[in-house]
Amino acid sequence: MSFQYLYLENSKYYLIPKSLDSMMSFLNPEIFVRANRQFIISKEGIKDITVWLDNRLLINLKTDVPEQIFISKNRVSSFKNWLMS
């Protein structure tokens, strides 16, 4: 069984016994997106977005997380579509 961390806006976090794929099946895809192999993020949780090297996007969240969150250049177009929907 795989465990994931769930980070909340109030900087609390919880250990969840589910894979990210499994969690995505329960979440509304209009609100949540799989940013990369490590993170699922919500629209409301995004603080700002920076264009990074090689046209990747760096996502900064309103809450602190232990790693930087990048959107690969291959996923930038679908990410922008999700963000604007």
Side-chain angles (χ1 to χ4, degrees):
M1 178 178 299
S2 102
F3 288 87
Q4 309 301 323
Y5 286 99
L6 172 67
Y7 291 89
L8 303 178
E9 284 187 33
N10 61 7
S11 298
K12 290 186 178 184
Y13 62 92
Y14 300 92
L15 195 57
I16 306 294
K18 302 267 184 205
S19 69
L20 291 181
D21 287 333
S22 174
M23 286 194 285
M24 275 303 297
S25 68
F26 294 104
L27 299 172
N28 182 340
E30 293 178 6
I31 300 171
F32 295 92
V33 70
R34 179 85 180 257
N36 54 38
R37 287 188 267 175
Q38 294 86 17
F39 289 93
I40 296 171
I41 60 176
S42 75
K43 287 180 184 178
E44 291 181 10
I46 297 172
K47 179 179 178 182
D48 59 53
I49 301 171
T50 304
V51 177
W52 202 251
L53 303 173
D54 298 333
N55 293 322
R56 293 182 298 161
L57 299 177
L58 173 63
I59 309 299
N60 293 306
L61 300 179
K62 294 176 183 175
T63 189
D64 292 331
V65 292
E67 300 176 38
Q68 291 182 318
I69 302 172
F70 288 100
I71 306 295
S72 71
K73 63 183 177 180
N74 297 335
R75 298 184 71 174
V76 166
S77 178
S78 63
F79 179 80
K80 287 180 179 178
N81 289 337
W82 168 80
L83 194 60
M84 297 302 166
S85 66

